[in-house]
Amino acid sequence: MSRVAVISAVLDEPEKCQQDFNSILANFKEIIKGRMGIPFDKERVSVICVTVVGDVDTINSLTGKLGRIPYVSVKTSFSKKEIDL
């Protein structure tokens, strides 16, 4: 069963971590349904929200990989409802 989830990420010093962040997202492109990014150029911070649909283990794997990148903080919120794909 799959769930809908939102991964919220804050990138401090995005120039140092954005390439790694995007590379990991590219490896999970099959579960990504949408992405929104808001740059705070003056503050040198970026906020990114990624909507995903997949099994809990895959989503947690993605979140874990993103969270291990220096300068990146992530949190994931899951829907309580399971869905069939």
Side-chain angles (χ1 to χ4, degrees):
M1 290 300 231
S2 296
R3 292 199 182 182
V4 176
V6 177
I7 300 170
S8 302
V10 177
L11 283 62
D12 295 319
E13 312 290 339
E15 66 280 356
K16 295 180 180 177
C17 60
Q18 197 160 18
Q19 186 173 3
D20 290 338
F21 188 90
N22 289 334
S23 177
I24 290 170
L25 286 184
N27 291 331
F28 287 84
K29 65 185 176 200
E30 67 279 354
I31 67 167
I32 295 174
K33 301 302 178 190
R35 174 181 171 164
M36 176 184 67
I38 302 171
F40 292 88
D41 293 330
K42 180 180 169 189
E43 295 83 1
R44 293 173 52 202
V45 173
S46 290
V47 177
I48 300 172
C49 297
V50 182
T51 303
V52 296
V53 178
D55 64 82
V56 173
D57 289 340
T58 302
I59 295 169
N60 283 336
S61 176
L62 170 56
T63 302
K65 289 175 190 286
L66 294 174
R68 285 191 287 279
I69 301 170
Y71 306 103
V72 176
S73 301
V74 291
K75 295 288 182 186
T76 303
S77 297
F78 287 91
S79 66
K80 293 180 181 177
K81 182 178 181 180
E82 292 184 339
I83 58 173
D84 285 324
L85 289 181

